[in-house]
């Protein structure tokens, strides 16, 4: 009997526990269901905010930029002052820029200054001085009175581009080059190179072909930003094909060389002014247009408009600067123990050029005019070799920089790669080629 009662008691206790478990499971299931419903509501809310754009306003502050383009008369101090910087801060920033990155000057119509705030209500946290597409200086001003800066070079993707053209009847090289799609800046560089070897008036004829290989620089988003260097040029001139290749020597100096590795840059240019038409050639007998009688014409005349800059044909030192009845305003330069050049009929002299001034090749020495015995604005250009006047268009001119054997070997390897790029782009102009 006692055993039966114990069994019945245990059954009752087990039933109570079972009921408690069932109740607990019921409560747990209700809790899980409630949490699930809450998560669903949150998810729907996030989707709504995201689609409406509200989430970006709530969680991500919008960075504010104030970009100032540097104009004539602007200085860094002036620009910083306009943005509310104190004199103390301006002095600190200026000293830091000079010491850390060597920046002392901003260039009008070229440089920009970007003032960045975390949002438009916050103070300036960063200044970015934009020095063209590939260089910028970042100034961190997140902490009061603590300034840090760094110079950042923007990585560029440099590719090579091939353009070819042909001279047509009545063409100039410039017109043919523009028609071939060569950018004006690259075309000007090609003119400078070919002027060492060619007479653009006499050497250019219909049917002649040419090509140019040059660099184009692209940003990370594949946008073309600007052009780089001329890598190779070829022109079928009357005197034979003229070829030039850009090459950096082991010492870091850069020059242009012909297909055999000989220096293509000569000590003097045959035509100082690019794209100028020859109006009177070198001659031992020419009827003078002003005097009316025949006498030697000891130089070449290039027609150009009044005020056109006249570059020095080569590096040297000015040995004469003055006026005489025949030449009008003229400058004479001694280049070495062999060659001198003379530039006549100038309207005025370059301000920095005086007797004794050392000039670089391409430096402006004066401006085209019609002073002296002249019938109109032009440049009269003479080359004197060992005291004797010579024809600028035919005289053999020495190269500035030839290659030694070690550099020539590397040059020939480089030339082979450049020639391969030319052949590839001839067949497939849209290919992306890098050198």
């Amino acid at each position: 009997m006692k055993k039966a009662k114990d069994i019945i008691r245990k059954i009752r206790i087990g039933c109570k526990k079972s009921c408690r478990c069932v109740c607990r499971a019921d409560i747990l299931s209700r809790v899980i269901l409630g949490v699930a419903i809450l998560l669903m509501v949150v998810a729907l809310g996030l989707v709504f905010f995201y689609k409406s754009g509200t989430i970006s306003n709530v969680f991500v502050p919008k960075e504010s930029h104030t970009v100032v383009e540097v104009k004539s008369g602007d200085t860094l101090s002036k620009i910083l002052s306009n943005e509310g910087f104190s004199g103390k801060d301006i002095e600190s920033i200026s000293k830091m820029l000079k010491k850390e990155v060597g920046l002392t000057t901003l260039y009008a119509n070229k440089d920009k200054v970007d003032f960045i705030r975390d949002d438009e209500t916050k103070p300036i946290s960063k200044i970015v001085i934009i020095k063209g597409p590939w260089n910028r200086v970042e100034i961190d001003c997140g902490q009061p009175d603590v300034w840090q800066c760094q110079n950042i070079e923007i990585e560029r993707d440099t590719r090579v581009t091939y353009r070819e053209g042909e001279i047509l009847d009545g063409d100039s090289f410039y017109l043919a080059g523009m028609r071939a799609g060569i950018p004006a800046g690259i075309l000007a560089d090609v003119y400078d190179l070919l002027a060492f070897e060619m007479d653009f008036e006499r050497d250019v004829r219909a049917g002649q072909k040419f090509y140019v290989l040059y660099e184009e620089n692209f940003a990370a988003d594949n946008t073309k930003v600007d052009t780089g260097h001329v890598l190779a040029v070829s022109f079928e001139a009357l005197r034979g094909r003229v070829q030039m290749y850009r090459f950096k020597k082991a010492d870091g100096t850069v020059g242009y060389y012909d297909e055999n590795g000989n220096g293509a840059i000569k000590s003097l240019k045959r035509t100082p002014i690019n794209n100028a038409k020859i109006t009177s050639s070198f001659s031992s007998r020419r009827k003078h247009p002003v005097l009316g009688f025949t006498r030697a014409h000891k130089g070449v005349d290039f027609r150009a408009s009044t005020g056109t800059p006249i570059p020095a044909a080569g590096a040297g030192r000015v040995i004469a600067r003055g006026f005489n009845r025949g030449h009008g305003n003229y400058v004479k330069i001694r280049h070495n123990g062999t060659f001198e050049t003379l530039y006549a009929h100038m309207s005025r002299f370059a301000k920095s050029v005086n007797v004794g001034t050392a000039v670089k090749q391409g430096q402006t020495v004066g401006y085209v005019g019609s002073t002296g015995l002249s019938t109109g604005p032009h440049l009269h250009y003479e080359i004197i070799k060992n005291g004797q006047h010579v024809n600028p268009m035919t005289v053999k001119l020495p190269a500035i920089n030839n290659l030694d054997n070690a550099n020539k070997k590397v040059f020939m390897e480089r030339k082979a790669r450049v020639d391969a790029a030319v052949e590839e782009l001839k067949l497939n102009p849209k290919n992306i080629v890098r050198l």
Side-chain angles (χ1 to χ4, degrees):
M1 190 70 172
K2 185 178 179 181
K3 288 182 178 180
K5 289 181 178 179
D6 290 339
I7 291 171
I8 291 170
R9 186 171 58 79
K10 289 179 179 180
I11 290 172
R12 286 176 178 173
I13 293 171
C15 288
K16 288 180 179 180
K17 287 181 178 180
S18 296
C19 288
R20 288 173 185 171
C21 289
V22 170
C23 291
R24 288 174 182 173
D26 182 58
I27 293 170
L28 182 61
S29 64
R30 289 180 182 179
V31 170
I32 291 172
L33 180 61
V35 171
I37 293 171
L38 179 62
L39 290 174
M40 186 179 296
V41 171
V42 172
L44 289 173
L46 289 173
V47 170
F48 171 77
F49 282 122
Y50 177 78
K51 289 186 176 180
S52 66
T54 308
I55 190 169
S56 61
N57 294 329
V58 173
F59 297 103
V60 183
K62 186 177 180 181
E63 196 174 67
S64 173
H65 291 256
T66 302
V67 180
V68 178
E69 295 188 6
V70 180
K71 298 179 181 179
S72 180
D74 281 348
T75 63
L76 180 60
S77 298
K78 179 181 177 181
I79 293 172
L80 292 175
S81 178
N82 290 342
E83 291 297 321
F85 283 81
S86 67
K88 180 182 177 182
D89 287 340
I90 292 172
E91 184 179 5
S92 297
I93 293 172
S94 299
K95 287 182 177 179
M96 177 191 62
L97 288 173
K98 182 177 181 180
K99 179 181 178 181
E100 299 295 332
V101 296
L103 192 154
T104 57
T105 306
L106 297 180
Y107 294 95
N109 305 317
K110 179 183 177 183
D111 295 347
K112 298 178 182 179
V113 183
D114 185 5
F115 295 93
I116 303 173
R117 297 170 172 85
D118 293 336
D119 65 56
E120 59 185 10
T121 65
K122 299 289 180 62
I124 294 169
S125 59
K126 182 182 288 187
I127 306 170
V128 180
I129 301 174
I130 303 168
K131 305 284 290 180
W134 308 113
N135 179 262
R136 60 192 58 196
V137 176
E138 291 191 358
I139 305 168
D140 184 4
C141 48
Q143 301 180 34
D145 300 324
V146 178
W147 308 100
Q148 295 178 331
C149 72
Q150 58 178 331
N151 191 55
I152 298 176
E153 295 290 337
I154 309 299
E155 186 176 354
R156 68 188 77 183
D157 179 10
T158 301
R159 309 170 190 176
V160 296
T161 299
Y162 172 83
R163 293 285 184 268
E164 64 180 20
E166 181 176 350
I167 307 295
L168 302 181
D169 283 333
D171 253 353
S172 67
F173 175 62
Y174 181 81
L175 290 175
M178 293 297 288
R179 189 172 57 249
I182 301 173
I186 293 294
L187 199 54
D189 291 341
V190 173
Y191 254 108
D192 282 338
L193 292 172
L194 293 180
F196 289 102
E197 289 290 345
M198 290 176 52
D199 170 0
F200 284 101
E201 182 70 18
R202 297 173 182 269
D203 284 347
V204 176
R205 295 289 185 272
Q208 293 172 329
K209 297 180 180 180
F210 60 89
Y211 73 73
V212 179
L213 190 75
Y214 61 93
E215 296 172 331
E216 288 185 326
N217 297 313
F218 290 77
D221 62 358
N222 206 39
T223 302
K224 185 172 71 175
V225 178
D226 58 16
T227 56
H229 303 104
V230 175
L231 299 180
V233 58
S234 175
F235 192 97
E236 295 177 356
L238 288 180
R239 66 185 69 186
R241 175 180 288 187
V242 176
Q243 286 185 289
M244 298 183 183
Y245 297 83
R246 187 176 189 270
F247 176 66
K248 181 185 286 187
K249 298 197 301 182
D251 63 3
T253 57
V254 176
Y256 285 85
Y257 303 87
D258 67 17
E259 65 274 21
N260 298 313
N262 299 315
I265 305 299
K266 303 300 188 288
S267 58
L268 298 175
K269 293 179 71 172
R270 299 185 188 278
T271 56
I273 300 177
N274 289 339
N275 205 29
K277 183 179 178 62
I278 294 178
T279 55
S280 185
S281 301
F282 183 90
S283 174
S284 59
R285 292 177 59 82
R286 182 194 72 152
K287 185 176 181 180
H288 197 281
V290 176
L291 300 176
F293 56 80
T294 299
R295 70 175 188 177
H297 187 236
K298 297 181 179 180
V300 175
D301 292 346
F302 296 93
R303 184 171 60 201
S305 57
T306 299
T308 300
I310 300 171
R317 189 171 298 278
V318 177
I319 59 172
R321 173 187 182 273
F323 178 91
N324 63 38
R325 181 171 175 268
H327 289 141
N329 293 325
Y330 74 97
V331 166
K332 192 174 186 180
I333 301 172
R334 177 171 294 143
H335 301 279
N336 51 36
T338 303
F339 288 97
E340 297 174 354
T341 55
L342 183 142
Y343 314 78
H345 305 306
M346 294 179 174
S347 59
R348 58 190 176 94
F349 304 108
K351 290 182 179 179
S352 59
V353 175
N354 297 288
V355 174
T357 301
V359 295
K360 298 178 180 179
Q361 190 171 60
Q363 180 179 335
T364 299
V365 295
Y367 301 87
V368 170
S370 188
T371 56
L373 295 178
S374 169
T375 59
H378 71 282
L379 166 65
H380 174 79
Y381 173 57
E382 298 178 0
I383 294 181
I384 302 100
K385 180 180 180 181
N386 294 323
Q388 300 294 319
H389 286 83
V390 293
N391 187 344
M393 299 298 106
T394 60
V395 63
K396 186 176 180 180
L397 298 170
I400 292 177
N401 192 6
N402 287 320
L403 297 175
D404 58 27
N405 291 335
N407 277 299
K408 184 171 286 190
K409 180 181 179 182
V410 180
F411 166 80
M412 297 307 290
E413 294 170 354
R414 167 75 175 180
K415 174 183 174 295
R417 294 196 298 272
V418 171
D419 289 342
V422 168
E423 293 304 317
E424 179 179 350
L425 291 171
K426 272 186 181 180
L427 298 175
N428 302 287
K430 294 184 178 180
N431 280 7
I432 295 177
V433 177
R434 301 177 179 89
L435 288 173

